[in-house]
């Protein structure tokens, strides 16, 4: 399900709403959620996405039922902040405080749409930008060898300026360890470097001011040939790193043993994106230029290393995957100009090959997406929902679920080739916001895990932050620890 047109407006309380037209495609394992007119044309749907993830999202982001029905006795969403505060003081929930769903319903109304305010400006393209898990640090990686770690709590002061070692082409990915002590960075090389992110050195010049340990993924056991790494992720316990590479493989590196513990020849083309499905690290999701998403269960990998399942639906290569963290749902960004939502319980054991849907030649690195391809659908689409509006060209543009703490993962957001950031409603497919500032593709963006703040980075070299500020004035610097403690004291 996807939005084909929308118009954003924000009311006096800052609630982002949209008018949209939605269409929906039939697929083998899903239901079409739309009404048809007598002429057979689709029109506005009568209901939101009707499946388990829609119900989970509503439970995580809708307020207490007694408050929803106050006054008229009928459900009325959204509930105003004034009514919610009054309901909390009246102890409508019997808890004497906001529930997590109440909190998400209140905070998710205030989208980070105001700004932007410049954080940094570099002379080279920005490829990576990510908040740490607690929001106290922000990492940005640039094509010109620089990786910067900003201290968010200290007014975005540069805590560490890293000059990458043995860079090939660009910084393709960075990842901070769960304890925030170490930063891994990759480029188009089989070596992933590790930097001590918590050291006192501000200027980190590889093997001059600090040692940048190299993890060699081109082990002699696997041929010892050269390739590039597109994506790196730490496991939740910080003991392993998973990587996707240009040799069509997934690698898992055991940091304690200091060696590769697993290599899977996973796809028939570049593995652009890979991640652990949840904190157990048993399941791995991968996405490739072969257009397939695959699920790998490390507990039952046989000698042939077959996936636990395959998910089909994208017409072109996959640029990024983000997991919801529950071991069931994830989203993927595709070169077919769509984001797709997946439920791994719908996966197949075999790949269905149907090359007939593509009758054109196209290269996303330098060509626009063919007009005749925009209305094509995969004949065996297994996705739960499809989101359209942004563009995926020239680079591996990333997409994410919005934070669980403040939104209940109610939204999906993504960069775009047309220099914007797009925010979609997960359930309805509505395009609820478009953030415009940059002059070049926005490859990466990151929503603060607790505050109403989003940071985008672009090939124009700008790293900027977007916030919600009711007055329209420049927001004061936020201290995450103080703000979070105050929030729990006052509202929880």
């Amino acid at each position: 399900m996807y939005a084909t047109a929308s118009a954003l407006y924000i009311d006096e309380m800052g609630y982002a709403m949209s008018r949209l037209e939605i269409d929906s495609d039939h697929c083998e394992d899903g239901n079409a959620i739309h009404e048809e007119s007598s002429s057979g044309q689709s029109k506005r749907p009568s209901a939101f996405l009707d499946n388990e993830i829609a119900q989970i999202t509503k439970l995580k982001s809708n307020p207490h039922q007694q408050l929803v029905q106050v006054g008229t006795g009928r459900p009325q969403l959204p509930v105003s902040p004034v009514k919610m505060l009054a309901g909390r003081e009246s102890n409508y929930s019997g808890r004497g405080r906001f529930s997590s769903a109440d909190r998400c319903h209140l905070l998710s109304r205030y989208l980070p749409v105001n700004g932007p305010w410049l954080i940094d400006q570099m002379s080279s393209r920005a490829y990576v930008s990510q908040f740490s898990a607690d929001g106290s640090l922000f990492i940005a990686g640039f094509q010109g060898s620089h990786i910067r770690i900003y201290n968010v709590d200290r007014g975005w002061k540069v805590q560490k300026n890293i000059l990458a070692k043995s860079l090939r082409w660009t910084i393709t990915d960075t990842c901070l360890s769960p304890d925030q002590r170490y930063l891994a960075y990759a480029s188009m090389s089989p070596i992933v470097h590790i930097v001590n992110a918590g050291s006192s050195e501000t200027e980190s010049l590889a093997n001059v001011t600090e040692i940048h340990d190299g993890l060699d993924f081109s082990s002699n056991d696997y041929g010892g040939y050269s390739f590039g790494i597109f994506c790196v992720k730490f496991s939740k316990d910080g003991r392993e790193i998973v990587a996707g590479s240009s040799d069509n493989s997934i690698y898992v590196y055991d940091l304690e043993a200091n060696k590769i513990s697993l290599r899977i020849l996973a796809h028939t083309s570049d593995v652009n994106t890979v991640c652990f499905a949840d904190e157990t690290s048993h399941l791995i999701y991968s996405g490739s230029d072969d257009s397939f998403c695959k699920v790998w269960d490390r507990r039952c990998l046989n000698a042939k290393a077959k996936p636990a399942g395959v998910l089909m639906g994208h017409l072109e290569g996959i640029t990024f995957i983000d997991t919801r963290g529950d071991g069931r749902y994830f989203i993927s960004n595709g070169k077919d100009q769509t984001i797709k939502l997946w439920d791994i319980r719908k996966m197949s054991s075999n790949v269905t090959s149907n090359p007939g849907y593509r009758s054109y030649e196209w290269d996303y690195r330098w060509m626009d997406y063919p007009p005749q391809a925009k209305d094509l659908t995969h004949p065996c689409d297994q996705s739960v929902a499809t989101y359209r509006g942004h563009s995926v060209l020239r680079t591996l543009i990333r997409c994410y679920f919005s934070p669980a703490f403040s939104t209940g993962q109610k939204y999906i957001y993504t960069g775009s080739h047309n220099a914007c950031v797009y925010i979609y409603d997960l359930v309805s497919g509505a395009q609820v916001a478009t953030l415009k500032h940059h002059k070049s593709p926005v490859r990466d963006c990151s929503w603060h895990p607790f505050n109403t703040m989003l940071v985008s980075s672009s090939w124009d070299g700008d790293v900027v932050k977007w916030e919600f500020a009711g007055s329209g004035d420049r927001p004061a610097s936020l201290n995450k620890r103080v703000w979070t403690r105050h929030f729990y004291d006052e509202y929880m």
Side-chain angles (χ1 to χ4, degrees):
M1 182 166 58
Y2 53 85
T4 56
S6 67
L8 172 71
Y9 62 97
I10 301 177
D11 68 4
E12 65 275 10
M13 298 305 298
Y15 180 67
M17 297 178 284
S18 65
R19 300 185 300 272
L20 68 153
E21 299 169 3
I22 297 178
D23 196 3
S24 178
D25 296 324
H26 283 284
C27 58
E28 275 187 343
D29 299 315
N31 297 315
I33 308 171
H34 70 280
E35 298 173 346
E36 289 190 357
S37 64
S38 57
S39 63
Q41 297 296 316
S42 296
K43 60 181 183 179
R44 188 181 178 89
S46 58
F48 282 172
L49 192 62
D50 187 19
N51 61 15
E52 183 179 293
I53 193 170
Q55 302 306 316
I56 293 172
T57 304
K58 290 175 183 176
L59 287 173
K60 291 178 67 175
S61 60
N62 279 5
H64 193 280
Q65 193 65 24
Q66 291 182 13
L67 181 57
V68 174
Q69 297 182 357
V70 167
T72 63
R74 298 190 305 272
Q76 289 184 323
L77 291 174
V79 180
S80 74
V82 174
K83 183 182 288 188
M84 291 193 70
L85 289 169
R88 189 197 68 190
E89 297 306 310
S90 302
N91 197 19
Y92 66 87
S93 65
R95 297 180 179 180
R97 58 185 176 88
F98 279 155
S99 67
S100 60
D102 292 336
R103 178 191 66 218
C104 288
H105 181 74
L106 181 61
L107 292 180
S108 65
R109 297 177 61 173
Y110 300 94
L111 296 177
V113 295
N114 292 326
W117 291 270
L118 187 66
I119 293 172
D120 206 348
Q121 191 170 46
M122 298 288 282
S123 59
S124 64
R125 296 172 173 179
Y127 270 73
V128 181
S129 57
Q130 285 295 298
F131 280 106
S132 62
D134 69 355
S136 64
L137 301 176
F138 183 83
I139 298 95
F142 302 87
Q143 188 174 22
S145 297
H146 284 279
I147 303 168
R148 288 190 167 180
I149 302 177
Y150 304 88
N151 192 313
V152 179
D153 294 349
R154 296 181 179 177
W156 295 87
K157 180 181 178 181
V158 176
Q159 179 170 301
K160 186 174 283 288
N161 185 34
I162 300 165
L163 188 62
K165 180 184 179 183
S166 305
L167 184 75
R168 291 187 185 176
W169 177 243
T170 184
I171 301 294
T172 53
D173 201 10
T174 64
C175 187
L176 201 61
S177 63
D179 60 8
Q180 300 186 180
R181 293 179 60 193
Y182 300 100
L183 179 78
Y185 65 85
S187 68
M188 293 306 295
S189 158
I191 308 297
V192 171
H193 293 282
I194 303 287
V195 187
N196 187 346
S199 69
S200 58
E201 289 287 342
T202 301
E203 296 296 324
S204 180
L205 180 60
N207 295 350
V208 176
T209 59
E210 286 187 318
I211 299 298
H212 291 201
D213 292 328
L215 310 180
D216 190 354
F217 282 69
S218 60
S219 167
N220 291 330
D221 295 339
Y222 301 115
Y225 54 92
S226 183
F227 53 86
I229 291 177
F230 292 109
C231 188
V232 289
K233 293 287 184 295
F234 275 97
S235 61
K236 189 69 174 180
D237 60 12
R239 296 179 179 179
E240 295 179 312
I241 289 177
V242 64
S245 70
S246 63
D247 69 342
N248 311 344
S249 299
I250 298 170
Y251 291 88
V252 177
Y253 198 99
D254 187 322
L255 294 172
E256 293 184 339
N258 195 28
K259 66 178 183 178
I260 297 169
S261 60
L262 177 66
R263 184 217 180 190
I264 307 170
L265 187 57
H267 292 267
T268 59
S269 192
D270 293 350
V271 179
N272 295 324
T273 177
V274 64
C275 66
F276 292 110
D278 54 29
E279 61 185 22
T280 67
S281 303
H282 294 317
L283 294 180
I284 296 173
Y285 300 147
S286 64
S288 166
D289 271 339
D290 63 14
S291 81
F292 299 118
C293 296
K294 294 185 178 181
V295 180
W296 307 87
D297 192 335
R298 300 170 65 190
R299 296 165 295 186
C300 56
L301 278 175
N302 57 27
K304 295 183 179 179
K306 289 187 176 180
V310 181
L311 289 157
M312 298 169 285
H314 279 295
L315 299 174
E316 303 288 346
I318 294 159
T319 63
F320 196 73
I321 283 175
D322 186 42
T323 177
R324 194 168 178 271
D326 55 11
R328 289 185 179 179
Y329 295 100
F330 67 92
I331 55 173
S332 60
N333 225 351
K335 296 177 183 179
D336 57 4
Q337 317 303 298
T338 69
I339 294 173
K340 285 186 177 288
L341 172 67
W342 307 93
D343 180 345
I344 69 170
R345 292 169 295 181
K346 293 179 176 289
M347 62 189 180
S348 301
S349 57
N350 297 309
V351 173
T352 300
S353 178
N354 192 336
Y357 60 77
R358 180 170 176 173
S359 59
Y360 54 88
E361 292 297 326
W362 176 66
D363 190 324
Y364 101 122
R365 292 172 296 181
W366 59 276
M367 299 171 68
D368 290 335
Y369 196 58
Q372 65 268 34
K374 293 181 179 178
D375 295 326
L376 293 178
T377 57
H378 196 289
C380 302
D381 191 353
Q382 296 167 295
S383 63
V384 175
T386 301
Y387 308 82
R388 298 181 188 268
H390 63 294
S391 58
V392 183
L393 298 168
R394 312 295 183 265
T395 186
L396 302 177
I397 290 172
R398 300 179 166 195
C399 64
Y400 303 93
F401 289 98
S402 62
F405 177 88
S406 57
T407 71
Q409 297 177 306
K410 182 178 179 180
Y411 303 109
I412 289 170
Y413 63 103
T414 179
S416 180
H417 170 259
N418 68 352
C420 298
V421 176
Y422 288 80
I423 303 176
Y424 300 99
D425 186 285
L426 172 71
V427 176
S428 71
Q431 182 182 308
V432 298
T434 305
L435 311 182
K436 299 179 180 181
H437 160 75
H438 295 287
K439 305 301 181 184
S440 299
V442 177
R443 186 180 189 268
D444 205 359
C445 47
S446 187
W447 197 315
H448 193 284
F450 303 108
N451 297 342
T452 308
M453 179 195 302
L454 187 148
V455 176
S456 58
S457 60
S458 167
W459 277 10
D460 62 13
D462 284 2
V463 179
V464 300
K465 67 175 179 176
W466 308 79
E467 294 183 307
F468 176 84
S471 66
D473 297 331
R474 178 167 183 154
S477 178
L478 293 172
N479 184 300
K480 192 274 306 179
R481 293 187 179 88
V482 173
W483 184 89
T484 305
R485 183 168 60 250
H486 172 74
F487 189 94
Y488 272 98
D489 291 343
E490 291 296 315
Y491 298 118
M492 302 303 290

